[in-house]
Amino acid sequence: MIFGGGFFYRLRRVTLPLITGNYAIGALLVFVKAVSEYGTPATIGQRIGFSVFVTAIHHNATIAPINFNAAASLSSLLIFICFCIWFLQNYVTAKKSYKLVGGKGTKLVVKKLSAHQKIAAWGYIIALLVVAIGIPYFSVVMTSLIRLRGQGMASGNFTLAHYSQLLTENPRAVQAFRNSLFLAFFSATIAAVLGTACASIIYFSQTKFRKVLHVMSLLPDMLPSIVFSIGIMIFWNSIFHIIPLYNHIGIMLLAYVTLFLPFSVQYVTSSYTQIADSLIWAGSVFGGTPFYVFRRIIFPLLLRGIFVGWMMTFIISFRELVTASILSPPNTLVVSTFIMREFEQGSVSVGMAMAVLTVLFTTGTLVIINSFLRREES
């Protein structure tokens, strides 16, 4: 600091005011995700009698006696809370924005850490990875391999029979995996096509409709997925005599595409922002039609964003729980509802074996697509 001041003075008067806005935004986002989370309270909270918004909504909408009015009322209240947090986030963002890129050049300064600082930094990273990733995944893998839960991780109490049962003796598990693969692939593909179309209209259009389309395409990301699923269920149930889509796997595909469309829109829009206008102008100057310019210049530059959006939609759709548990037709399982059912029926090891296979499959898909994208760049 040119004008002096110790470490705590700089932290209190310079650093903290700059990062307060980011911390506030992060806290608000965590609040919205926590208040709309379903998996954790459904598996752990119900066992200890701890009910939250999402479990109460799910109970009223799926368990007899069905009470759509109560589910809709709780959903409306949850929407109100989420929108209040969204407006508060916009307010904080507007008040805590700083112009960090100016006309003057900046020099990157690399600070070398001392031995004690390196130990502390690596210790923090390792501890975070162990607590957030290592312990949960270790527990899942060990549970899938245990023969008798009462004996714990004793010698001789490990077996691969649960995996063999899933792959050879349990046709419902195989069908659940196929259903998830079908829904994930087609929802990701349809969302990629629609997301590219929406982002293109938003980028090229000069009318007020572009703003409306932008908000509508991102709206599902602002709503809790359980509220969105309840709305789809009530709407299609009310017009079942006109379009019999309710209680059909098609309604799950429709919900997945609509719910995860914002991923494709955001990634393709981000790719558009990296394309210089001069490239488009050059194509037009040399006689290229708008379709030719899009096909030969713009679309190849958008491919990475389209693939990344497809990959995110595929992985999230493959393990989606809330929408599947509410909208899945009778006797139709996906991997998430299969795991939940096995967990509720006491077959925890079988459910965890399916969870391990799901993680391996989605991780392998992620690695393959990333390798393909890196090979295309080189």
Side-chain angles (χ1 to χ4, degrees):
M1 294 288 292
I2 297 177
F3 297 100
F7 170 78
F8 290 103
Y9 178 85
R10 297 196 301 270
L11 178 66
R12 179 172 57 90
R13 300 302 298 272
V14 180
T15 306
L16 286 180
L18 287 173
I19 65 177
T20 299
N22 292 332
Y23 280 151
I25 294 172
L28 294 175
L29 290 175
V30 171
F31 180 88
V32 171
K33 293 299 182 182
V35 78
S36 59
E37 168 66 16
Y38 174 75
T40 302
T43 53
I44 300 177
Q46 289 185 353
R47 289 178 173 267
I48 61 175
F50 188 80
S51 180
V52 295
F53 263 116
V54 290
T55 53
I57 293 171
H58 185 271
H59 180 86
N60 284 290
T62 59
I63 300 177
I66 303 297
N67 191 344
F68 283 150
N69 293 330
S73 299
L74 291 173
S75 299
S76 301
L77 183 57
L78 187 56
I79 291 175
F80 175 76
I81 294 174
C82 291
F83 270 97
C84 287
I85 297 299
W86 182 70
F87 283 116
L88 180 60
Q89 174 188 336
N90 289 340
Y91 174 79
V92 172
T93 304
K95 291 293 183 179
K96 297 293 183 180
S97 60
Y98 299 92
K99 303 296 184 181
L100 299 180
V101 179
K104 297 182 179 180
T106 58
K107 181 181 179 181
L108 180 64
V109 178
V110 178
K111 178 179 175 57
K112 292 185 178 181
L113 300 178
S114 64
H116 297 289
Q117 291 174 331
K118 289 181 180 180
I119 294 175
W122 279 109
Y124 172 77
I125 294 174
I126 293 174
L128 185 63
L129 291 176
V130 169
V131 173
I133 300 177
I135 294 177
Y137 278 95
F138 177 80
S139 301
V140 170
V141 173
M142 288 297 102
T143 303
S144 69
L145 296 174
I146 289 178
R147 188 191 307 273
L148 297 175
R149 294 177 58 195
Q151 297 182 7
M153 293 187 295
S155 178
N157 194 34
F158 296 99
T159 179
L160 295 174
H162 305 302
Y163 292 93
S164 176
Q165 178 182 348
L166 280 177
L167 299 176
T168 60
E169 303 175 12
N170 196 332
R172 293 180 65 83
V174 177
Q175 187 60 43
F177 196 90
R178 290 176 179 173
N179 291 337
S180 292
L181 184 60
F182 168 83
L183 290 170
F185 178 81
F186 283 101
S187 61
T189 303
I190 297 173
V193 174
L194 295 179
T196 303
C198 290
S200 300
I201 295 174
I202 294 169
Y203 182 79
F204 288 108
S205 177
Q206 301 298 326
T207 64
K208 294 182 179 180
F209 174 72
R210 63 189 294 269
K211 295 182 179 180
V212 176
L213 180 62
H214 194 199
V215 173
M216 294 299 295
S217 63
L218 299 180
L219 185 61
D221 197 30
M222 305 176 189
L223 298 176
S225 56
I226 190 169
V227 173
F228 191 83
S229 302
I230 291 293
I232 290 180
M233 180 181 65
I234 294 176
F235 173 77
W236 288 100
N237 187 40
S238 63
I239 63 170
F240 181 81
H241 60 286
I242 302 175
I243 305 177
L245 188 61
Y246 186 70
N247 271 344
H248 188 273
I249 196 171
I251 196 173
M252 298 180 65
L253 181 62
L254 173 66
Y256 281 18
V257 171
T258 310
L259 189 62
F260 303 125
L261 179 63
F263 289 103
S264 295
V265 173
Q266 289 174 334
Y267 281 109
V268 178
T269 301
S270 177
S271 297
Y272 263 117
T273 60
Q274 301 176 39
I275 300 176
D277 293 336
S278 58
L279 294 176
I280 303 175
W281 297 339
S284 301
V285 167
F286 285 97
T289 63
F291 179 74
Y292 179 87
V293 172
F294 179 82
R295 180 170 59 90
R296 298 300 298 271
I297 298 176
I298 299 176
F299 184 73
L301 298 175
L302 296 179
L303 275 179
R304 181 176 178 82
I306 295 173
F307 271 116
V308 173
W310 186 94
M311 177 179 61
M312 292 297 298
T313 305
F314 179 86
I315 292 175
I316 297 177
S317 299
F318 194 87
R319 59 177 178 81
E320 170 62 20
L321 172 61
V322 180
T323 305
S325 63
I326 293 177
L327 297 177
S328 59
N331 299 321
T332 300
L333 293 174
V334 294
V335 292
S336 57
T337 54
F338 178 86
I339 295 171
M340 179 69 73
R341 191 194 67 168
E342 296 298 319
F343 191 86
E344 293 175 346
Q345 294 179 352
S347 302
V348 179
S349 296
V350 176
M352 294 301 98
M354 175 64 85
V356 172
L357 293 178
T358 301
V359 171
L360 292 177
F361 178 77
T362 53
T363 303
T365 304
L366 179 64
V367 171
I368 292 173
I369 295 179
N370 280 332
S371 300
F372 172 77
L373 292 176
R374 282 194 294 265
R375 187 166 57 251
E376 287 295 320
E377 288 181 350
S378 61

